[in-house]
Amino acid sequence: MVKRLRVWGVYAFAASGGCGPMANAGKNSNRTAVTDNGGAATTYCSDNADRLVSSSDAANVGTPVYDLRGNATRMGTQTLGYDSSRH
C-alpha cells in the first residue's frame, strides 16, 4: 500500500522584496505568500507592527481593519468580534 502525502499549500517567508510598509516581513516569520495545490498564489503584506495590512485574496482577507487594541475586526467580508470583558 502506497500512502500519498497531500500538500495543500506552500508557504513563503520572503526576507526581502515583500509588499506593504514592511518589505522584509518574512524575516520576522510573517507569511508573505502561499501557493495552493492548484498553483494559485496569494500574497500577504504586513506593517511594522507585524499586522496583516493587505492580501491579494480580496474575498477572504482584503484589507483588514483593526480596533484600538490591535484586534482584527474585519477580514474580507467577515466581521470579527471579541468579548470586551476579557480585555
Side-chain angles (χ1 to χ4, degrees):
M1 174 181 229
V2 175
K3 287 190 176 186
R4 293 182 181 227
L5 178 63
R6 185 175 268 190
V7 178
W8 294 105
V10 177
Y11 296 102
F13 301 89
S16 64
C19 55
M22 191 170 174
N24 63 347
K27 279 185 169 180
N28 292 340
S29 72
N30 294 315
R31 182 173 57 203
T32 56
V34 63
T35 303
D36 68 22
N37 203 19
T42 301
T43 57
Y44 302 98
C45 303
S46 298
D47 66 8
N48 292 324
D50 290 331
R51 293 179 301 194
L52 181 64
V53 293
S54 66
S55 170
S56 61
D57 183 356
N60 294 311
V61 180
T63 302
V65 177
Y66 296 92
D67 65 15
L68 295 175
R69 292 190 171 112
N71 297 312
T73 57
R74 180 173 294 275
M75 293 283 238
T77 59
Q78 297 180 45
T79 299
L80 309 172
Y82 298 89
D83 182 352
S84 61
S85 68
R86 297 185 182 251
H87 287 283

